[in-house]
Amino acid sequence: SEAADVLGLMNYMEVLRLFTAVELVPPTSDENVTVTDTEFSSVPVRLYLPRRAPGGLRRAVLYFHGGGWCLGDAGMHGYDYTARHISNELNAVVVSVNYRLAPPHRFPVQFEDVYSVTKFFLQSKVLSQYGVDPARVCVAGDSAGGNLAAAVAQQLLEDAEVQTQLRAQVLIYPALQALDLDLPSYRDNADKPILPRSLVVRFWSEYFSSEPALREAMASNRHVPAEASQLWHFVNWSLWLPEDVRRGHRSSGPVWASEELARRHPGLLDPRASPLLASEALLRRLPPAFVLTCEHDVLRDDGLMYVARLRAAGVPVTHHHARDAFHGAFSFLVWPLELALGHRLLNTCVGWLQENL
């Protein structure tokens, strides 16, 4: 990917996308679930409708896939398996969203796509069409999708046009802030497989811009302007991380960047990109959350800090920390990338949904 990018043959992310393309499977119905590709609010979605009698109104889950806002597809084998498993186990309607990717689409396009789908689906006439209980709708996502799910849950609270609110949110090792890319988890897992720190930096920078200066600034953690000092409290890991995680690490504090960089890339300080920047007043209105974090994951501390902030705001949170897991483990569900760990994490998540949705 790097060689093709340097030589100008193909964008770095376009090369990586070739590897995800081989994982795509067509929408295939089975004896339990009817699967179709369609559009909601002009955004492609893969829709999973249970076949067995509902015995009343159904639950519904809107799922946003991961891939650093640059990769991934609802039609990838692992995501297809996840969606049909959730649909079958919960007898629920599942809407898996194919939002536009970077490049060429930058923030806030990805957020706007998943938000428009969610807002469309929450309309009374649409919920009625699919036999969904308006009091039992959830957003869920992994990694970048967890970021989008958290942002959608927050923004719905601010939208006067939305009459139906979410029952729950499920955040699977979510990326939740772009201010501090030198958290203890970034240090501990900088070179771990699946998602090394260098790739996280590339994903974040590509989400906002193709400008090399932004990527270089984020790589050295010198991308936040002094004008954002009032936001630092929300991501101050010396306050929000458990003592056992902080042990052995010292916070050097922010190294402020020029204001010009942030002016060119306002998404850096936007809560729709970094849900950890939301105020406590907003957080306390959020629905109950299930948050999965993995020990061997650069994004571990994003999730840990959000758990702490949600609990401080009085939001009911179930936090499942997998000490034997790594980033992406939730998607290792089908051959040749199948692990018992992936099934265990999925079953834990579905079990929570059974009781809380």
Side-chain angles (χ1 to χ4, degrees):
S1 297
E2 291 180 357
D5 195 36
V6 170
L7 293 173
L9 301 176
M10 189 178 290
N11 179 275
Y12 181 91
M13 292 302 169
E14 291 175 337
V15 178
L16 290 183
R17 212 171 291 157
L18 296 175
F19 293 94
T20 63
V22 301
E23 282 284 299
L24 296 180
V25 295
T28 306
S29 302
D30 58 32
E31 67 275 13
N32 299 314
V33 184
T34 299
V35 184
T36 56
D37 282 344
T38 184
E39 290 188 354
F40 283 176
S41 191
S42 301
V43 178
V45 302
R46 183 161 289 192
L47 183 63
Y48 299 78
L49 301 175
R51 292 195 172 193
R52 68 179 185 270
L57 294 176
R58 300 184 192 276
R59 298 180 265 204
V61 176
L62 294 120
Y63 195 92
F64 313 139
H65 68 76
W69 310 279
C70 300
L71 312 172
D73 193 288
M76 291 176 65
H77 202 176
Y79 287 120
D80 181 73
Y81 179 95
T82 296
R84 68 176 64 239
H85 182 76
I86 291 173
S87 179
N88 188 41
E89 291 297 312
L90 301 180
N91 201 17
V93 175
V94 176
V95 181
S96 191
V97 184
N98 261 330
Y99 53 89
R100 286 170 288 178
L101 302 173
H105 305 288
R106 311 288 182 180
F107 173 83
V109 168
Q110 292 82 343
F111 168 81
E112 290 172 343
D113 280 358
V114 297
Y115 189 77
S116 65
V117 168
T118 305
K119 189 171 177 177
F120 172 86
F121 187 75
L122 289 176
Q123 296 178 99
S124 297
K125 63 181 180 181
V126 178
L127 294 171
S128 178
Q129 176 184 349
Y130 293 106
V132 171
D133 185 342
R136 305 180 79 184
V137 182
C138 166
V139 290
D142 64 292
S143 194
N147 165 283
L148 295 170
V152 165
Q154 292 179 4
Q155 291 297 308
L156 287 172
L157 298 173
E158 304 282 79
D159 194 331
E161 296 179 354
V162 177
Q163 301 301 311
T164 301
Q165 291 299 329
L166 299 173
R167 175 70 169 268
Q169 53 181 324
V170 172
L171 313 178
I172 309 299
Y173 34 71
L176 295 170
Q177 59 85 35
L179 267 70
D180 189 355
L181 304 183
D182 190 36
L183 304 173
S185 59
Y186 275 81
R187 301 171 186 175
D188 293 341
N189 302 295
D191 300 311
K192 296 286 177 70
I194 306 299
L195 191 67
R197 182 183 184 275
S198 59
L199 185 54
V200 176
V201 168
R202 187 71 188 240
F203 280 143
W204 271 118
S205 62
E206 289 285 355
Y207 191 26
F208 299 126
S209 169
S210 61
E211 184 182 337
L214 176 62
R215 185 163 68 249
E216 292 166 6
M218 296 184 89
S220 61
N221 209 38
R222 296 169 181 261
H223 57 288
V224 178
E227 67 189 48
S229 59
Q230 77 280 4
L231 299 175
W232 203 261
H233 170 78
F234 298 140
V235 298
N236 186 345
W237 58 265
S238 63
L239 296 176
W240 297 112
L241 288 182
E243 195 278 332
D244 63 319
V245 175
R246 289 184 277 116
R247 188 183 301 124
H249 293 281
R250 174 177 293 181
S251 175
S252 57
V255 178
W256 305 118
S258 71
E259 295 182 1
E260 177 59 30
L261 194 65
R263 274 196 290 269
R264 291 201 303 273
H265 310 292
L268 283 171
L269 308 179
D270 194 320
R272 295 175 301 169
S274 294
L276 255 175
L277 301 184
S279 68
E280 182 174 334
L282 178 62
L283 294 185
R284 70 169 63 106
R285 298 162 55 202
L286 285 169
F290 174 89
V291 181
L292 169 67
T293 55
C294 298
E295 180 66 24
H296 308 288
D297 180 6
V298 288
L299 298 181
R300 177 195 68 202
D301 294 349
D302 280 22
L304 293 179
M305 288 195 293
Y306 203 48
V307 167
R309 289 207 60 213
L310 289 173
R311 286 177 172 164
V315 178
V317 181
T318 298
H319 175 213
H320 181 77
H321 184 63
R323 295 194 173 277
D324 59 343
F326 53 90
H327 192 87
F330 188 82
S331 298
F332 280 61
L333 298 166
V334 293
W335 188 90
L337 302 174
E338 183 175 9
L339 294 174
L341 172 62
H343 289 280
R344 191 187 83 211
L345 297 179
L346 176 58
N347 290 335
T348 299
C349 174
V350 171
W352 186 86
L353 286 169
Q354 285 279 20
E355 296 182 4
N356 294 276
L357 181 61

